[in-house]
Amino acid sequence: QVQVVESGGGLAQAGDSLTLSCAASGRTFGPYDMGWFRQAPGKEREFVSAISWGGKRTYYADSVKGRFTISRDGAKNTVYLQMNSLEPEDTAVYYCAADPSNRSGSYYNPRKYDYWGQGTQVTVSS
């Protein structure tokens, strides 16, 4: 079993920055492929960003490219999502996900990830 815990959400104004953190822990030896998804009210969950287990590959949704940066803490299963130039459209619950098996397949696909956090709310006002 793997536990995934997000933190760092909150209220922000348009143009502000927030950093989300995610820690994954469990009996499966890491590091893991990790991803961030978000779900706004009335909308489906969508991909935001992902990072490979070694940190060499990163992926971004077009809507956040150039504004968000994903990183990880070395070999630890802790990842960060630095969100700059926030927009009201970024308002959503942000979920962190982990793939301990580092399976092949699209990082954009939520099915790649076996474990999910409870989510952290990000609200951006205009």
Side-chain angles (χ1 to χ4, degrees), residues 8-19 83-91 121-126:
L11 300 175
Q13 293 188 332
D16 284 353
S17 298
L18 282 175
T19 300
M83 306 185 294
N84 298 329
S85 302
L86 284 164
E87 303 170 353
E89 293 73 22
D90 295 318
T91 296
Q121 176 71 45
V122 172
T123 303
V124 184
S125 61
S126 57

Side-chain angles (χ1 to χ4, degrees), residues 20 26 35 42 50 57 63 88 96 111:
L20 304 183
R57 289 172 290 166
S63 59
C96 182
R111 294 181 180 180

Side-chain angles (χ1 to χ4, degrees), residues 4 8 16 22 31-34 47 56 73 79-80 94 98 110 124:
V4 179
D16 284 353
C22 172
Y32 313 151
D33 289 339
M34 305 280 287
F47 172 81
K56 292 185 177 181
D73 186 356
V79 296
Y80 307 96
Y94 283 71
V124 184

